[in-house]
Amino acid sequence: MHEFSLVRNVIEICEEQMHSREGKYISQIELEIGTLSGVEMDAFEFAWKTAVPGTLLAHTQRKVLKIEAKAHCKKCNSTFVINEVFDPCPQCGEYFTEIVEGQELRVKNLILGTIAPKPSITNT
Amino acid sequence: MCSTCGCSSTDSISYSGFNLESSSQHHHHHHGETEVIELEKNILSRNNEIADHNREHFRSLGTIAFNLVSSPGSGKTTLLEATLLSMGPQSSCYVIEGDQQTNRDAERIAKCQAPVVQINTGKACHLDASMIHRALHQMEMKPDGILFIENVGNLVCPALFDLGESKRVVIISVTEGDDKPIKYPEMFQSSDICLINKIDLLPYVPFSVDRFKEYARMVKPEMEFIELSALTGEGLGYWLDWIKTEEGVTV
């Protein structure tokens, strides 16, 4: 369940960013997660729900951009989509391939909103 | 200033420089009331930074560090005991033990006369670079030593966490299924060498060494293998030779 650690890391990255941005909140976060990043999305979802309450991401809308995995064949130079780390090259059947995409684990962007000033309370 | 590795704190690293640099590279744009920060930041970047720090510490000391990963029960601790006893107390070997609970492994290693730090990860299923960093602060390592890091027994999570090791060693025992490499490909893909342990049990189990190697090469075509039994000592010499070769590479 390393997904919990990953969510903690996401929270830390956001805290760093928001440190110097008083009066702002994160309305949306976009993550890029490759299909071969080693992240189980169900576990990630569970970890997110467990870890974010009480943090600056508690009310943030989360978007996940899935990145399809691709490998490059070192023998015939073709680039192809893979579902597993060990998928062979469809052109020549070679296993000697290099994964070029699909292992991403990134915070792509944050969309910030401005915290509305609290209405002043007047004593009656 | 910490005397172990010269970093500025005793239990964590200051990353202010890193943060400043990364934030200055961000692309900002504003849409009316909203602001977009284009980060493109690796979620593991903090771990990787600390791992690089550990690696630099090892490099400056001439230490070679091995990260031993496997399922629980593959024989990592027994292998370490056999390795330390074979190398003798005069070899500068150090051990970091990772387990969720107990000091049992550290107590076993301590009997082999090697300095050892036990990390109990509690609920965490893997070691990360900052845990290693903290453990290093408890350990005074002499130059040109060998550090063995026994990760938490788990073929999934430790794969993602660089500890700053020189080489990652995955251990499989023949009492496990020979299709483990394709079931847990990230771990095999990220490892530099594969030890096949408990070969003394081969006559009694359906494990096929050839089939296992075939699966492992599907995941990592250049994978090296050493077959051994940590318990009987068979094949242990190949492992010790490999360590010596790796030491030669670092020097």
Side-chain angles (χ1 to χ4, degrees):
Chain A
M1 188 65 183
H2 56 287
E3 286 80 3
F4 192 79
S5 308
L6 298 179
V7 175
R8 285 293 325 161
N9 291 356
V10 171
I11 295 167
E12 280 172 24
I13 288 170
C14 292
E15 284 171 348
E16 277 171 26
Q17 289 301 318
M18 299 308 283
H19 190 66
S20 56
R21 290 189 169 86
E22 229 172 272
K24 298 277 187 177
Y25 70 98
I26 303 173
S27 66
Q28 184 187 294
I29 182 167
E30 190 168 8
L31 307 175
E32 290 177 310
I33 299 183
T35 54
L36 291 182
S37 62
V39 167
E40 185 55 57
M41 281 316 293
D42 286 345
F44 190 81
E45 187 68 43
F46 175 78
W48 188 271
K49 282 185 184 152
T50 313
V52 305
T55 74
L56 77 175
L57 293 177
H59 305 292
T60 302
Q61 193 197 349
R62 192 201 63 207
K63 278 190 170 178
V64 177
L65 195 68
K66 255 194 179 177
I67 300 180
E68 193 173 49
K70 285 183 188 148
H72 175 81
C73 177
K74 291 181 186 171
K75 198 175 169 192
C76 75
N77 271 330
S78 63
T79 300
F80 50 94
V81 172
I82 51 172
N83 296 313
E84 300 288 354
V85 168
F86 49 84
D87 282 348
C89 171
Q91 298 288 325
C92 67
E94 180 61 48
Y95 284 108
F96 212 58
T97 59
E98 187 187 2
I99 298 171
V100 289
E101 261 175 67
Q103 292 183 309
E104 297 79 1
L105 268 179
R106 281 196 297 254
V107 179
K108 183 172 160 54
N109 60 44
L110 306 175
I111 298 180
L112 309 186
T114 305
I115 298 167
K118 283 195 181 117
S120 53
I121 299 162
T122 48
N123 290 325
T124 51
Chain B
M1 173 82 70
C2 134
S3 61
T4 310
C5 61
C7 75
S8 57
S9 143
T10 50
D11 64 349
S12 66
I13 308 168
S14 162
Y15 283 100
S16 46
F18 171 73
N19 293 337
L20 285 171
E21 189 187 25
S22 61
S23 58
S24 65
Q25 288 167 346
H26 302 152
H27 180 61
H28 297 245
H29 43 100
H30 298 260
H31 295 291
E33 283 297 291
T34 62
E35 180 187 348
V36 181
I37 309 174
E38 293 295 345
L39 267 176
E40 294 292 346
K41 185 159 184 162
N42 186 344
I43 294 173
L44 289 168
S45 54
R46 189 173 171 80
N47 183 76
N48 295 343
E49 280 287 318
I50 303 172
D52 286 343
H53 177 88
N54 293 344
R55 196 172 282 111
E56 179 53 34
H57 176 53
F58 297 142
R59 200 201 54 77
S60 67
L61 270 179
T63 302
I64 181 152
F66 300 114
N67 179 7
L68 308 186
V69 293
S70 80
S71 324
S74 69
K76 290 188 296 299
T77 315
T78 306
L79 175 75
L80 273 178
E81 287 172 315
T83 306
L84 296 169
L85 291 173
S86 304
M87 296 178 98
Q90 65 274 25
S91 62
S92 322
C93 290
Y94 303 86
V95 178
I96 295 175
E97 280 289 340
D99 280 300
Q100 286 200 325
Q101 301 289 341
T102 82
N103 291 329
R104 295 177 73 95
D105 281 359
E107 286 160 12
R108 283 173 63 183
I109 296 300
K111 285 183 185 152
C112 305
Q113 313 297 322
V116 54
V117 173
Q118 174 85 50
I119 301 174
N120 280 142
T121 59
K123 293 282 177 280
C125 48
H126 57 271
L127 293 176
D128 65 32
S130 78
M131 294 178 196
I132 298 305
H133 179 248
R134 285 196 291 266
L136 291 173
H137 277 269
Q138 294 184 34
M139 201 176 242
E140 207 151 297
M141 289 202 292
K142 289 185 194 133
D144 303 322
I146 303 173
L147 173 67
F148 296 100
I149 302 166
E150 182 179 336
N151 216 313
V152 178
N154 177 342
L155 270 183
V156 185
C157 312
L160 259 67
F161 294 84
D162 182 7
L163 306 180
E165 70 263 29
S166 323
K167 287 284 158 82
R168 188 173 292 183
V169 180
V170 61
I171 298 149
I172 181 97
S173 58
V174 303
T175 50
E176 299 169 58
D178 50 25
D179 55 356
K180 281 282 187 290
I182 54 169
K183 285 182 171 169
Y184 302 95
E186 278 90 7
M187 189 60 95
F188 286 86
Q189 199 211 16
S190 68
S191 294
D192 299 289
I193 186 167
C194 176
L195 307 189
I196 304 171
N197 192 20
K198 307 191 189 180
I199 53 166
D200 52 312
L201 297 179
L202 273 175
Y204 313 105
V205 291
F207 187 95
S208 158
V209 173
D210 288 342
R211 200 161 48 222
F212 171 79
K213 287 182 177 174
E214 213 173 288
Y215 283 134
R217 287 195 177 113
M218 281 166 68
V219 177
K220 192 176 176 86
E222 62 273 44
M223 185 70 102
E224 280 183 76
F225 302 92
I226 294 173
E227 296 162 44
L228 52 79
S229 166
L231 197 64
T232 67
E234 187 184 352
L236 194 68
Y238 295 114
W239 161 239
L240 299 173
D241 287 347
W242 183 82
I243 294 173
K244 278 205 191 88
T245 313
E246 289 302 314
E247 267 191 290
V249 174
T250 3
V251 170

